[in-house]
Amino acid sequence: MRLTVKDIIDKKKKHEKITALTAYDALFAKLEEEAGVDILLVGDSLGMVLLGLPSTRPVSLAQMMHHLKAVSRVSHKSLIVADMPYGTYEGSPERAVKNALSLIKEGGAHAVKLEGGREEAKTISALVASKIPVMGHLGLTPQSVEFFGGYKIQGRSTRDARKIFADARLLAGLGVFSLVLECVPKNLASKITQSVRVPTIGIGAGTGCDGQVLVVTDLLGMGEGRQYRFVREYATLRPVMLAAIRSYIEDVHSGKFPGRKESFE
Ligand code: KIV
């Protein structure tokens, strides 16, 4: 049976932790569902993880749609949430509703996620009024990274913490079904979690949230370079994959592949 938005909300009431992971294609969607993840997030991080883009900002609706369809085609159990790419929702509730409906009707998403607080209030209200389930996203919102001067923790000062807290309450009041809290101090995330009825999903926001989300390639250790402090690598696959590919190249060069087993008489 497919998890619904209501099931996700009920998990908070039942004090059951919610698990979410990014999924950008059929391969990972199947793996994550088999493992039992609640939410498949087709995040715009796909721009950096898969498409070699410098940030999430250049990701287009067409690119999001392409990856979303690959996920929804094979998914049967998890709730699928699609990110609304930068430039597809801001400042125009009408455009936001049109684009969100295409992600749902054409792409197969069950809900959309968009970044921002009070400045997106009208857009969020319009989406909710159009019966589109919305996941909010506060704290470090990567589409606004230019304004933060990099990927830095948000809400450290009393003023910033108050703003994030007030935005969380506002969004919950507007009818979002859940809230991603990214890179905020754990005490702030816990305070928000205790003061809103909808589940909070943390990434770099401590253990006080109702659930957690990670970029799947980070958790699998598939990326290059240093990880963010909030990531836990449950496997370190990059060196394993690299070694396997190198062995194949060596074997082709030396004539060891294909061998008898891989050849037909
Ligand atoms: O795009 C993304 O991957 C995200 C999560 C990490 C929250 O928005």
Side-chain angles (χ1 to χ4, degrees):
M1 272 256 288
R2 168 85 69 190
L3 273 186
T4 63
V5 160
K6 182 172 180 305
D7 295 324
I8 299 297
I9 298 171
D10 286 350
K11 278 181 183 277
K12 175 163 183 142
K13 295 184 192 148
K14 293 190 262 177
H15 304 287
E16 275 175 33
K17 290 277 187 188
I18 299 159
T19 55
L21 277 178
T22 61
Y24 313 118
D25 60 22
L27 176 71
F28 277 88
K30 281 203 245 179
L31 263 175
E32 292 171 32
E33 267 201 2
E34 193 176 326
V37 78
D38 298 320
I39 298 176
L40 298 175
L41 172 65
V42 189
D44 58 1
S45 52
L46 69 86
M48 289 144 99
V49 177
L50 294 188
L51 305 181
L53 295 170
S55 75
T56 58
R57 283 160 76 95
V59 173
S60 68
L61 193 67
Q63 286 166 333
M64 177 55 65
M65 193 65 89
H66 176 77
H67 288 277
L68 171 61
K69 282 183 180 172
V71 169
S72 65
R73 222 170 266 144
V74 298
S75 154
H76 303 287
K77 293 193 210 143
S78 314
L79 185 85
I80 303 174
V81 179
D83 248 334
M84 296 204 68
Y86 173 63
T88 65
Y89 61 94
E90 304 87 339
S92 166
E94 294 76 25
R95 192 181 50 208
V97 169
K98 182 174 168 283
N99 289 332
L101 283 176
S102 73
L103 291 170
I104 289 178
K105 296 177 78 153
E106 201 189 315
H110 305 113
V112 296
K113 173 165 85 59
L114 58 90
E115 299 182 4
R118 60 199 69 175
E119 64 284 4
E120 299 307 336
K122 279 195 186 142
T123 295
I124 292 170
S125 299
L127 291 166
V128 173
S130 304
K131 307 187 193 76
I132 299 167
V134 179
M135 177 182 269
H137 187 159
L138 295 172
L140 173 58
T141 44
Q143 292 174 10
S144 304
V145 70
E146 310 283 326
F147 296 102
F148 302 138
Y151 295 92
K152 295 177 184 159
I153 185 157
Q154 301 297 308
R156 272 218 203 277
S157 71
T158 311
R159 191 165 153 267
D160 288 354
R162 280 203 183 125
K163 181 176 181 299
I164 295 171
F165 182 78
D167 280 350
R169 303 258 310 167
L170 176 75
L171 263 54
L174 292 176
V176 300
F177 78 93
S178 61
L179 263 178
V180 167
L181 299 175
E182 178 161 355
C183 277
V184 296
K186 63 180 192 257
N187 288 347
L188 174 61
S190 297
K191 203 174 140 203
I192 293 172
T193 304
Q194 285 155 22
S195 351
V196 294
R197 289 164 91 154
V198 296
T200 59
I201 318 275
I203 173 160
T207 186
C209 295
D210 298 304
Q212 298 293 328
V213 60
L214 278 179
V215 169
V216 67
T217 47
D218 287 347
L219 117 84
L220 293 174
M222 292 172 77
E224 292 167 80
R226 272 189 62 203
Q227 292 276 28
Y228 291 112
R229 185 173 145 193
F230 59 77
V231 170
R232 184 177 296 173
E233 271 193 15
Y234 285 86
T236 311
L237 295 190
R238 193 172 190 277
V240 178
M241 293 164 87
L242 202 54
I245 296 167
R246 284 191 176 132
S247 300
Y248 162 74
I249 293 170
E250 260 175 47
D251 285 357
V252 171
H253 285 162
S254 67
K256 281 194 194 148
F257 180 84
R260 274 188 64 190
K261 201 170 130 285
E262 296 96 7
S263 306
F264 299 103
E265 293 301 333

